[in-house]
Amino acid sequence: MKNIELSRIFEQIAKILKIKEENPFKIRAYEKITLVLENLPIDIETIYHQGGLNNIPGVGTGIAKKIEEFLTTGKLEYYEKLKETIPSGVIELLDISEVGPKTAKLLYEELGVDNIEKLEKAVKEHRIKDLPGMGEKSETNILRGIELYKRRKERFLLGRALPLAEEMVESLSQLKETDKISFAGSLRRKKETIGDIDILITSQNPEKIMRTFTSLPQVREILAEGPTKSSIITKDDLHIDVRVVEPISFGAALQYFTGSKAHNIKLRELALKRGLKINEYGVFEVESGNRIAGEKEEEVYQALNLPFIPPELREDRGEIEAAQEKKLPQLIEYSQIRGDLHLHTKWSDGAHTIRQMAEAAKKRGYKYIAITDHSQSLKIAGGLTEKRLREQMEEIQKLNQELKDFTILSGIEVDIKSDGSLDFSDEMLSKLDVVIAAIHSGFKQESKIITERIIKAMQNRLVNILAHPTGRLIGFRESYQVDMNEMIKVAAETGTILEINAYPERLDLNDVYCRMAKDKGVQLAIETDAHSIDGLEFMNLGVDVARRGWLEEKDIVNTLPLNELLKRLKINNK
Ligand code: DGT
Ligand code: CA
Ligand code: CA
């Protein structure tokens, strides 16, 4: 989705104009479009292709042209020119949420601060508090802003890191010197964001591996290069560590470097109680010093009389205790997914036809999909009126007669309006196979109001699934202030299925809430919310989240065969 990227550019434009003390109305227009884009639930590219830019509130001809330019060329001439009119470091200062344009200008003019490093230094030397309008509190705030900025820059979305890392592993595994190779660290645990990428290799020729790794075309900067360990930064800003270990230690190293740290600490304590020592080289008897495991990762757990613990569970959230009691969950696997229940098409804001989506889904081995376009209130997304929805249902019926061994379900992503009522009559909703309800506005309502609003929608017996339940966009937008205990309780009472939205920036519900939901007997659906054929690919990210949330096949409704799924959707316990 280019929405966030574009909104950042317009935000920057507004800020630069502010530094330059330009026309306030012009600045206001850019601020407005920033906000609109940030909250736009639909892909701006889709809207553009459907000729709908002018229907977006706050988009006049000038801004529409700029959006078009950015979408077609990947650049914005006006912005590039504007940036040249002030030192680039001063604009960088604006990336810190606590530094506004006025402050940036002040810092630059009074103290010569023109980058973040200098800013941090100035704060720490308490040179800021005495500037006009500033104080000790400003220094604390700016310092916190710098921390946040650094953290945001340091972590990558799983969905972005994974393909890049896979490409890197692919390159390295093709070397004839590479024997075994695996990810470790947070990437192997499939955490939603990744700090750095850890790769382990066994080889007879570590030097050759190091040389090849540090000279791969993806490398921008070499941070460290040693005989068995190197670190680099890629052109996409990813930080990658590669270690070559002895074959006899590969399992122990994999276990150690997969982490998490908390899991490993717990495991080491357990080992010590049994007179054993675990480290990245193996498992050893403390007294004799004898090695009893290390080549295979399973052996490390076996040495402690534990079954293998899947990497996704290794967070010290009770997995070691569960393993001791032989109560580890049988985690859901991608191959168990039989269909995708949240898809958009050209009928609203998607890029492909129903037939194209169905054929792509069939190719993935699915048995069914649900078409769930937007409802009428969402005009900018080309939301369907009741009439259009009926026409769509007819088209789906016809397609189903043609398709063999595959079924398209008729559904809708019905908008939950600001008072919790739904965008269609019960009469209309009752004709559909799948009803997904979701919020697309009023994200900032206070907790009590937004909780009641969502609950009201879940209590409608025709609502099957609640989509992207918390609304967060990782690194960009916080969750709604919804009371999660309450939401999960009502989902359990009403039989409402909660979505795990597999879109990389969403992953919503997250792992922790998934587990909370499961513990209360709530079922979930893993859905891509795809707006194009490519979007179907993110299903595996949703499965990763579900696995981190301890979910099993029985917890996920889209593992059911079609007839059972239809029964489940009808009953809904309501
Ligand atoms: P990240 O990179 O921040 O997303 O998270 P991780 O978990 O990949 O952390 P990283 O890259 O610093 O280290 C990889 C693994 O190595 C970590 O999960 C556990 C292990 N490890 C690193 N340092 C220590 C340590 O001081 N003690 C123990 N027990 N394990 C460590
Ligand atoms: Ca890491
Ligand atoms: Ca690391």
Side-chain angles (χ1 to χ4, degrees):
M1 255 198 325
K2 298 259 167 68
N3 302 26
I4 300 288
E5 227 175 301
L6 253 171
S7 98
R8 288 294 156 259
I9 291 178
F10 287 129
E11 187 180 21
Q12 294 287 61
I13 292 177
K15 284 175 175 175
I16 299 173
L17 293 177
K18 259 193 188 167
I19 292 180
K20 296 166 68 85
E21 295 178 351
E22 291 226 11
N23 178 346
F25 290 103
K26 196 165 152 190
I27 295 171
R28 184 76 200 112
Y30 284 110
E31 284 174 344
K32 190 167 171 204
I33 183 66
T34 299
L35 222 86
V36 168
L37 281 172
E38 203 177 281
N39 289 306
L40 198 63
I42 326 298
D43 191 344
I44 186 78
E45 227 163 347
T46 316
I47 300 178
Y48 165 64
H49 286 306
Q50 293 180 342
L53 284 186
N54 290 314
N55 300 336
I56 302 175
V59 175
T61 351
I63 286 182
K65 268 214 185 106
K66 291 193 173 70
I67 294 176
E68 176 172 16
E69 185 191 332
F70 180 76
L71 292 179
T72 50
T73 68
K75 261 189 151 168
L76 191 56
E77 190 68 24
Y78 173 69
Y79 174 52
E80 299 301 326
K81 284 250 165 69
L82 197 63
K83 275 199 295 192
E84 285 167 14
T85 61
I86 55 176
S88 65
V90 178
I91 305 174
E92 191 184 286
L93 296 182
L94 300 175
D95 274 343
I96 292 165
S97 49
E98 274 68 21
V99 178
K102 258 198 200 147
T103 311
K105 191 167 184 240
L106 186 74
L107 291 169
Y108 176 60
E109 284 172 356
E110 298 293 322
L111 302 175
V113 168
D114 58 5
N115 63 41
I116 288 173
E117 239 169 84
K118 285 189 196 167
L119 177 63
E120 191 168 2
K121 197 157 172 276
V123 176
K124 289 191 170 152
E125 288 167 1
H126 300 291
R127 285 189 281 129
I128 290 179
K129 65 176 181 3
D130 299 325
L131 293 176
M134 306 296 265
E136 269 170 31
K137 192 132 186 237
S138 327
E139 291 190 338
T140 327
N141 285 343
I142 290 174
L143 209 56
R144 200 182 52 219
I146 295 175
E147 291 305 318
L148 267 172
Y149 169 84
K150 284 186 181 165
R151 225 178 299 153
R152 188 168 70 231
K153 286 269 165 184
E154 275 164 11
R155 299 198 71 83
F156 281 79
L157 290 179
L158 175 64
R160 210 157 103 60
L162 200 53
L164 294 167
E166 274 166 353
E167 190 186 300
M168 190 65 85
V169 165
E170 182 56 31
S171 309
L172 291 171
S173 64
Q174 274 169 10
L175 295 177
K176 65 177 191 311
E177 288 79 11
T178 299
D179 189 7
K180 287 186 197 148
I181 182 163
S182 174
F183 294 132
S186 51
L187 194 73
R188 186 161 180 249
R189 303 198 311 280
K190 307 288 166 60
K191 246 182 105 163
E192 65 189 30
T193 64
I194 306 296
D196 67 2
I197 292 170
D198 305 279
I199 298 174
L200 294 184
I201 296 178
T202 61
S203 171
Q204 300 302 318
N205 190 351
E207 279 91 359
K208 177 76 195 298
I209 300 274
M210 289 298 125
R211 270 201 309 278
T212 314
F213 170 59
T214 51
S215 52
L216 284 173
Q218 295 97 323
V219 175
R220 192 185 68 214
E221 193 186 334
I222 300 171
L223 298 176
E225 189 174 9
T228 60
K229 184 188 174 232
S230 297
S231 295
I232 59 105
I233 307 256
T234 70
K235 287 176 182 152
D236 306 291
D237 295 326
L238 282 174
H239 176 157
I240 305 189
D241 289 348
V242 169
R243 289 181 177 81
V244 179
V245 301
E246 295 288 332
I248 195 179
S249 296
F250 185 70
L254 190 55
Q255 197 290 317
Y256 180 89
F257 289 109
T258 295
S260 67
K261 204 167 160 179
H263 173 89
N264 287 355
I265 289 172
K266 230 337 158 16
L267 215 58
R268 271 207 303 269
E269 285 168 4
L270 198 67
L272 279 176
K273 281 187 198 143
R274 297 172 158 262
L276 299 173
K277 191 178 93 182
I278 302 185
N279 57 31
E280 65 258 57
Y281 304 108
V283 184
F284 304 87
E285 286 173 349
V286 175
E287 261 180 39
S288 65
N290 285 344
R291 167 198 292 271
I292 60 166
E295 194 180 348
K296 296 209 175 86
E297 197 181 30
E298 287 86 349
E299 295 172 2
V300 175
Y301 288 96
Q302 259 167 27
L304 301 176
N305 204 15
L306 295 175
F308 180 78
I309 301 178
E312 295 91 332
L313 298 182
R314 300 182 197 170
E315 298 291 346
D316 189 22
R317 293 179 186 157
E319 72 281 4
I320 292 174
E321 293 79 355
Q324 285 175 313
E325 293 166 23
K326 307 280 180 267
K327 283 186 181 154
L328 281 175
Q330 270 294 321
L331 296 182
I332 166 95
E333 284 172 26
Y334 175 76
S335 60
Q336 294 168 330
I337 300 289
R338 292 188 203 237
D340 197 333
L341 299 175
H342 185 168
L343 302 179
H344 296 269
T345 69
K346 276 190 165 170
W347 282 75
S348 65
D349 60 344
H352 292 108
T353 63
I354 300 175
R355 183 193 292 272
Q356 286 172 320
M357 293 302 273
E359 278 166 0
K362 203 174 163 192
K363 235 172 150 176
R364 300 182 71 87
Y366 293 161
K367 295 292 181 194
Y368 51 80
I369 52 169
I371 299 298
T372 55
D373 276 308
H374 291 287
S375 61
Q376 52 198 7
S377 285
L378 227 59
K379 292 211 172 57
I380 43 171
L384 303 181
T385 58
E386 294 205 1
K387 180 163 170 287
R388 294 263 298 147
L389 182 54
R390 285 209 186 82
E391 287 165 15
Q392 188 187 58
M393 290 168 74
E394 270 172 41
E395 181 177 317
I396 289 175
Q397 242 174 24
K398 276 191 206 130
L399 275 168
N400 274 331
Q401 284 163 5
E402 257 182 66
L403 292 163
K404 288 197 183 63
D405 201 23
F406 189 85
T407 306
I408 309 172
L409 302 175
S410 273
I412 191 80
E413 179 176 4
V414 68
D415 191 43
I416 303 173
K417 296 201 272 192
S418 61
D419 63 353
S421 65
L422 299 177
D423 201 16
F424 280 134
S425 65
D426 284 3
E427 200 249 325
M428 182 71 238
L429 295 178
S430 68
K431 293 190 165 58
L432 296 160
D433 302 312
V434 186
V435 175
I436 298 181
I439 279 184
H440 296 99
S441 61
F443 300 138
K444 296 210 166 115
Q445 285 177 333
E446 61 179 88
S447 178
K448 192 162 162 317
I449 292 176
I450 201 157
T451 304
E452 278 171 10
R453 176 181 173 200
I454 293 173
I455 285 174
K456 191 171 163 194
M458 288 198 287
Q459 281 168 340
N460 184 318
R461 64 188 176 81
L462 297 167
V463 169
N464 301 120
I465 302 173
L466 180 67
H468 33 81
T470 76
R472 64 106 176 241
L473 294 175
I474 302 171
F476 291 107
R477 189 169 80 205
E478 299 287 321
S479 305
Y480 327 131
Q481 295 294 309
V482 59
D483 179 338
M484 287 306 290
N485 282 316
E486 196 61 21
M487 178 199 283
I488 288 169
K489 191 179 117 214
V490 176
E493 285 164 9
T494 57
T496 309
I497 297 157
L498 298 180
E499 180 180 77
I500 300 173
N501 190 298
Y503 192 77
E505 260 120 22
R506 290 194 185 271
L507 303 183
D508 179 13
L509 291 180
N510 70 15
D511 50 1
V512 173
Y513 292 139
C514 279
R515 191 158 168 210
M516 254 168 82
K518 173 194 172 136
D519 288 346
K520 295 276 185 259
V522 173
Q523 282 189 307
L524 297 99
I526 309 177
E527 309 178 326
T528 62
D529 198 353
H531 284 66
S532 69
I533 289 171
D534 293 342
L536 293 169
E537 296 205 2
F538 295 129
M539 182 61 82
N540 60 348
L541 291 181
V543 173
D544 292 337
V545 173
R547 289 171 66 86
R548 285 181 58 84
W550 293 51
L551 303 189
E552 307 182 66
E553 186 178 16
K554 66 176 168 41
D555 300 312
I556 307 292
V557 296
N558 50 322
T559 60
L560 293 170
L562 180 66
N563 56 347
E564 285 177 44
L565 173 74
L566 288 173
K567 264 188 255 167
R568 171 66 180 85
L569 294 174
K570 282 236 166 56
I571 306 170
N572 236 22
N573 290 354
K574 294 178 185 184

